[in-house]
Amino acid sequence: MISNARLFCGVLALPLLAASVAGCEPAPPRGNSHAAQTRPQPRNLRLDSLRADSISRTDGRLPGAILPSQRIVAFYGNPLHKGMGILGALPKDQMLLRLQQQAAEWQQADSIPVRPALHMTAIIAQRDSGADGMYRLSLPDSTIRRVIRWGQEHKALVFLDVQVGLSTLPQELPQLEKYLRLPFVHLGIDPEFSMKSGRRPGTEVGEFDARDINYARQFLARVVSQHQLPPKVLVVHRFRQDMVTNYQQIRLDPRVQIVMHMDGWGTPSVKRSSYRKFIRREPVEYAGFKIFYRNDSRTNSRLMTPQEVAGLTPTPLYIQYQ
């Protein structure tokens, strides 16, 4: 059940536009990799007076908050690289139709209303260092705006995902602020490709500390306050314990809804076990769960159904398909 799929399908060779990963397959098993081992706040607080590190965990929510009253069902990838996920693997209209169908299946799973979403890798870890040695590359502005336009036209949320390589969130997130000012655009951050060791992405699994996640939360909270936006959703990928360190120190803020997203692949039993270990035992705020159309079906396995995933504890409110 061990996979390096995203280490080789997600880390692309420069130049970006010339890279071709269509049909790429997971590398052979290596160690303990990408296989699944796998409290909102008071409504009466003013946004402009909130201190990000001093919010108590209560049952209030700010107006416009998506979670927990709705469930997000997202397609992952980007339109330039077919091998990175379903978002880019199919032509636009076919992909959007399939997203609509997948969301409809989820709507039958329970009574929680479903919001479709496009989750695009906007900053992608690279095999090559690039001119600045940071092993990451941003998608062209035209591509990011194209997917945002798809979301706007089809009433879907849009997530911009960040793989920092040897860079950092403080270096990378400011370039996305112009997009995050839109009320339906949200953020994902991927510890797998945060290479604090200084090694090249794809040679080992990276990590984010609570300090990194708190920075992303504070960044989004500021954008929300300055532009009078509804709360943002922050998705944090995770499929191993050491990908997120000091989780107890992650602080909550009603302007940002944090999703710890179980991002591993495997059989249903392996995925349930991973969910218990890394989501249920180390909760933060809300939970997410990923389904791999290809990898979850390997070795004579099968995809988990919406009803099976919805029955997990805690109930996942962010569902991603790759």
Side-chain angles (χ1 to χ4, degrees):
M1 292 303 121
I2 305 298
S3 166
N4 293 320
R6 286 177 55 222
L7 298 182
F8 294 92
C9 295
V11 182
L12 307 174
L14 292 171
L16 180 65
L17 292 177
S20 176
V21 294
C24 64
E25 293 287 345
R30 175 183 60 81
N32 203 13
S33 182
H34 195 35
Q37 301 172 26
T38 355
R39 332 165 195 137
Q41 287 73 33
R43 189 181 291 267
N44 61 354
L45 291 173
R46 292 182 55 195
L47 286 176
D48 59 1
S49 66
L50 291 175
R51 290 183 55 84
D53 292 324
S54 64
I55 302 299
S56 63
R57 301 185 180 208
T58 67
D59 293 329
R61 289 195 309 278
L62 293 174
I66 296 172
L67 307 174
S69 59
Q70 300 176 72
R71 174 180 281 122
I72 300 167
V73 174
F75 272 8
Y76 175 92
N78 77 66
L80 299 184
H81 304 288
K82 292 184 178 181
M84 288 191 70
I86 185 67
L87 192 156
L90 298 175
K92 169 199 167 187
D93 292 340
Q94 187 177 347
M95 180 271 295
L96 290 169
L97 176 60
R98 188 164 179 181
L99 174 60
Q100 181 182 358
Q101 293 168 341
Q102 193 69 74
E105 288 184 24
W106 269 95
Q107 194 60 76
Q108 297 174 5
D110 57 27
S111 61
I112 301 176
V114 171
R115 292 287 299 274
L118 302 172
H119 193 122
M120 173 178 56
T121 49
I123 300 175
I124 310 174
Q126 303 285 301
R127 281 198 177 103
D128 298 325
S129 63
D132 60 2
M134 292 292 104
Y135 289 88
R136 55 85 185 92
L137 194 65
S138 300
L139 285 185
D141 179 79
S142 58
T143 303
I144 295 175
R145 291 185 180 277
R146 187 193 338 163
V147 174
I148 289 175
R149 188 168 60 250
W150 293 353
Q152 187 173 30
E153 292 171 351
H154 293 269
K155 296 181 172 58
L157 304 173
V158 174
F159 287 79
L160 303 181
D161 207 80
V162 178
Q163 302 173 357
V164 298
L166 271 64
S167 185
T168 65
L169 291 174
Q171 289 177 286
E172 302 303 322
L173 292 191
Q175 65 181 293
L176 300 180
E177 181 172 344
K178 59 187 176 182
Y179 310 117
L180 291 165
R181 292 174 184 173
L182 295 169
F184 62 94
V185 177
H186 302 268
L187 181 66
I189 57 175
D190 196 342
E192 181 179 359
F193 301 107
S194 171
M195 312 310 295
K196 295 181 182 297
S197 66
R199 297 188 63 184
R200 177 174 59 84
T203 58
E204 64 182 13
V205 176
E207 67 182 72
F208 277 139
D209 186 72
R211 289 173 295 180
D212 302 299
I213 297 169
N214 284 334
Y215 170 81
R217 171 185 52 78
Q218 291 170 323
F219 179 89
L220 288 174
R222 177 185 58 78
V223 173
V224 167
S225 290
Q226 288 184 354
H227 300 282
Q228 300 182 353
L229 300 172
K232 294 291 185 183
V233 178
L234 172 61
V235 173
V236 183
H237 301 272
R238 188 177 196 183
F239 59 87
R240 282 181 15 170
Q241 187 170 30
D242 56 1
M243 288 175 67
V244 175
T245 55
N246 300 307
Y247 86 96
Q248 303 94 330
Q249 297 175 24
I250 297 171
R251 300 291 180 254
L252 300 187
D253 185 312
R255 294 168 291 182
V256 181
Q257 301 192 294
I258 300 176
V259 173
M260 296 303 292
H261 175 51
M262 208 293 287
D263 192 15
W265 64 267
T267 64
S269 61
V270 168
K271 292 171 77 81
R272 289 189 189 99
S273 175
S274 301
Y275 193 78
R276 288 192 299 268
K277 290 178 182 177
F278 309 127
I279 304 300
R280 184 173 179 175
R281 291 182 188 174
E282 297 191 357
V284 176
E285 191 171 14
Y286 299 104
F289 197 89
K290 178 178 265 189
I291 301 291
F292 290 81
Y293 281 122
R294 178 183 296 176
N295 290 343
D296 282 351
S297 300
R298 293 166 65 88
T299 62
N300 299 316
S301 185
R302 63 173 179 83
L303 303 187
M304 292 181 68
T305 68
Q307 289 78 9
E308 288 175 317
V309 177
L312 296 171
T313 303
T315 297
L317 293 174
Y318 172 87
I319 310 298
Q320 185 183 97
Y321 286 84
Q322 179 169 343

